[in-house]
Amino acid sequence: MEKIASFQINHERLLPGLYVSRLDKSGEEFVTTFDIRITRPNFDDVMDTASIHAIEHLGATYLRSSAIKDKVLYFGPMGCRTGFYLLIFGNLTPSDILPYIKDTFLYILNFEGKIPGQSAIECGNYKDLSLEGAKCYAKKYLDEFLLNSPIDRMIYPN
Ligand SMILES: [Zn+2]
């Protein structure tokens, strides 16, 4: 079998940032898959599931209410627990979506109250949600990348 594109990234040199993971085309429509990398692979501790799950609920809620809500296909965690994938209609660059990603993580950092979808009816594991943990990772991502967003954190390393 062929080695898929995301396994061809050098994860040993990958730092927290915002990257284009894939660009796909179906018919006339492009879909850009963004790599929202929160922790440094094989270096930082990976995110715990309760924090990652809370970021998923809050991030999806925010993005699906935002100015780009009609373009958002999917937002969800990577299996390695170092980040998230965001699929958006269009042929886009990290700079195009940076303001929305920054707003998403500011929303998480400042969120108070009950997490959207935190009930047995709405979620498959509703007790495994940590708002405190989500805020901690949102702050880390804002401090380490989003607030100054250096260009070299938006292009995959060789
Ligand atoms: Zn859930």
Side-chain angles (χ1 to χ4, degrees), residues 136-155:
C136 186
Y137 284 110
K139 184 170 187 332
K140 169 183 159 61
Y141 192 48
L142 283 156
D143 287 346
E144 292 186 11
F145 171 66
L146 287 172
L147 293 180
N148 52 0
S149 51
I151 191 75
D152 64 335
R153 300 290 189 91
M154 292 191 273
I155 301 163

Side-chain angles (χ1 to χ4, degrees), residues 53 56-57 117 122-126 129:
H53 190 188
E56 183 205 23
H57 276 226
E122 298 165 296
C123 171
N125 191 11
Y126 79 101
L129 285 159

Side-chain angles (χ1 to χ4, degrees), residues 100-121:
Y100 306 105
I101 302 302
K102 192 190 280 183
D103 286 350
T104 300
F105 283 87
L106 284 169
Y107 170 76
I108 295 169
L109 181 63
N110 295 314
F111 188 85
E112 298 292 342
K114 190 182 169 202
I115 295 172
Q118 190 174 13
S119 75
I121 279 184

